[in-house]
Amino acid sequence: MELGHAYSVLVVSASAKFNESVRGLLPERFYWPVTVLTDAAGARRELLENSYDLVVINTPLPDEFGTRLAQDICQHSAAGVLLLVKAEHFADIDGRLTPQGVLVLSKPMSTQLFTQSLRLLCGTRERLRGLEKKNATIEEKMEEIRLVNRAKWLLIECLGMTEPEAHHYIEKQSMDRRISKREVAETVIKTYQ
């Protein structure tokens, strides 16, 4: 398996046997840090302070079954969530949670299926990272457009320029001073506001 970097993992399981065996399936060069907690309440507190790439929930948990925790994580973070349930619960839980982004596996399962599922979640996490990055870029661009528009209206209002003149002024200042239009707009706003 080739991964670009190590993925942080939160394991939530009340089973000491599972917790011990899963650590052996998470080599440090691919999965680090690995945090193991034994209940949903502890996991929720941990997730308020730290973000994780992957969360593995081995049901049932002592303070709740674990499905609500899985749903909450999918709603409030970009972590990949793997929920392990007994075979008799699989069909019902899989049908309810898969559409929400939770990967549900039936226990018992093979080591190969578990590791393949983790790799699938890693790939999904990378796709989400790319989308998050793209979204941030779009938001930055929109913020720049808002600032430039605000600066243009200040130039129109304070210096009597027309909209094309204000636009040209900002672009020319940006080129002449070799700074971004955003920086020019911020200077105009500081000066005339």
Side-chain angles (χ1 to χ4, degrees):
M1 174 167 74
E2 285 189 37
L3 298 173
H5 64 280
Y7 292 84
S8 57
V9 181
L10 174 62
V11 176
V12 188
S13 170
S15 166
K17 183 180 175 187
F18 175 83
N19 295 344
E20 187 177 320
S21 66
V22 81
R23 280 199 180 269
L25 300 174
L26 300 170
E28 272 191 22
R29 68 179 190 268
F30 300 128
Y31 304 103
W32 188 87
V34 175
T35 303
V36 178
L37 298 171
T38 57
D39 60 20
R44 283 189 169 87
R45 283 190 300 274
E46 176 67 18
L47 289 165
L48 287 174
E49 295 179 19
N50 299 299
S51 62
Y52 288 87
D53 295 312
L54 309 173
V55 179
V56 177
I57 304 170
N58 181 30
T59 65
L61 300 173
D63 53 348
E64 68 174 74
F65 186 75
T67 53
R68 169 62 44 206
L69 176 63
Q71 289 171 309
D72 291 347
I73 294 168
C74 282
Q75 265 187 329
H76 303 299
S77 79
V81 180
L82 178 60
L83 184 72
L84 309 174
V85 299
K86 288 184 179 171
E88 63 261 24
H89 302 296
F90 177 78
D92 174 52
I93 292 172
D94 182 59
R96 285 187 297 121
L97 296 189
T98 296
Q100 296 180 42
V102 178
L103 181 57
V104 182
L105 292 182
S106 177
K107 297 187 293 188
M109 78 194 124
S110 69
T111 299
Q112 181 180 4
L113 179 59
F114 181 77
T115 56
Q116 285 175 338
S117 297
L118 286 178
R119 288 200 318 252
L120 174 66
L121 286 175
C122 290
T124 302
R125 184 67 190 105
E126 286 307 310
R127 288 188 66 210
L128 282 173
R129 266 196 187 97
L131 291 173
E132 288 168 342
K133 195 180 223 180
K134 191 180 226 179
N135 189 38
T137 302
I138 290 168
E139 287 179 15
E140 288 171 11
K141 190 67 177 163
M142 288 174 59
E143 178 61 22
E144 179 180 307
I145 289 168
R146 280 192 284 273
L147 284 171
V148 168
N149 282 338
R150 224 165 99 209
K152 281 197 279 188
W153 289 112
L154 283 169
L155 291 171
I156 291 167
E157 195 176 281
C158 297
L159 300 181
M161 292 183 180
T162 65
E163 196 275 337
E165 289 171 337
H167 182 80
H168 177 74
Y169 173 83
I170 291 171
E171 282 190 334
K172 184 159 176 24
Q173 288 293 310
S174 172
M175 285 188 293
D176 291 350
R177 296 171 54 200
R178 294 190 175 116
I179 59 175
S180 69
K181 287 190 268 186
R182 178 189 188 106
E183 291 172 291
V184 173
E186 288 170 344
T187 302
V188 167
I189 292 167
K190 282 179 192 169
T191 305
Y192 294 105
Q193 200 170 31

